[in-house]
Amino acid sequence: CLPWGHKPHPLVGFSCLTYAVLIPVMLPCHPVTAALFGLVTVSSYLSDHVYTGLTSAAHAFDRIVAPTVFMTALHVVYVSSGLVWMSSSLLAVACHLLAHDAAKRGEYGAFVIWHSMWHFVGQGLICLCFWYNDAVHRCMP
């Protein structure tokens, strides 16, 4: 539970919804992963924004969906672009750890920034990876 209770922030909510950007990126070559990004868009928004700081089944759902999507995304990035690109996910993980640390210290503003960055950095790196490596066009006949 978060020390400040139910205090949804628009930046966190927006960062959750931007997972949907990855749906069209993944759809041509990785339709299951695209569907998972649709699912995590909903689970993240419900858990991190709508029900933040409240008791809700949305949190349990997100705790299952989010790691599943993360591991699937790691696999897709590795297969399409290699180990170096996959290891760039450590930047997003660092943001997640900093958000967790901010929550433990009760620093709401830092939590908002780092949690939003966890979403934005991960999504941005996947988009950059697919663009730089022309991953979508390389998988199509």
Side-chain angles (χ1 to χ4, degrees):
C1 208
L2 298 171
W4 45 80
H6 181 64
K7 194 172 176 183
H9 194 281
L11 183 61
V12 174
F14 177 71
S15 73
C16 297
L17 294 176
T18 58
Y19 277 117
V21 167
L22 291 168
I23 296 170
V25 172
M26 294 292 167
L27 197 56
C29 306
H30 306 282
V32 172
T33 305
L36 286 172
F37 273 110
L39 194 59
V40 83
T41 300
V42 173
S43 73
S44 180
Y45 185 75
L46 290 174
S47 179
D48 297 350
H49 187 69
V50 175
Y51 296 107
T52 186
L54 302 173
T55 301
S56 171
H59 304 305
F61 182 59
D62 191 52
R63 282 189 202 105
I64 293 167
V65 172
T68 302
V69 174
F70 182 74
M71 296 305 291
T72 303
L74 286 178
H75 173 74
V76 165
V77 168
Y78 176 73
V79 167
S80 69
S81 305
L83 185 61
V84 172
W85 279 99
M86 187 186 81
S87 66
S88 71
S89 67
L90 293 173
L91 294 171
V93 171
C95 294
H96 181 67
L97 294 173
L98 288 165
H100 181 72
D101 189 53
K104 282 182 13 182
R105 291 191 320 270
E107 296 175 0
Y108 177 70
F111 171 80
V112 166
I113 296 298
W114 288 117
H115 193 85
S116 298
M117 290 304 292
W118 151 244
H119 296 164
F120 291 140
V121 169
Q123 298 162 25
L125 286 170
I126 291 170
C127 287
L128 179 64
C129 168
F130 270 57
W131 171 77
Y132 183 82
N133 294 291
D134 200 23
V136 173
H137 292 106
R138 284 189 297 117
C139 81
M140 298 177 81

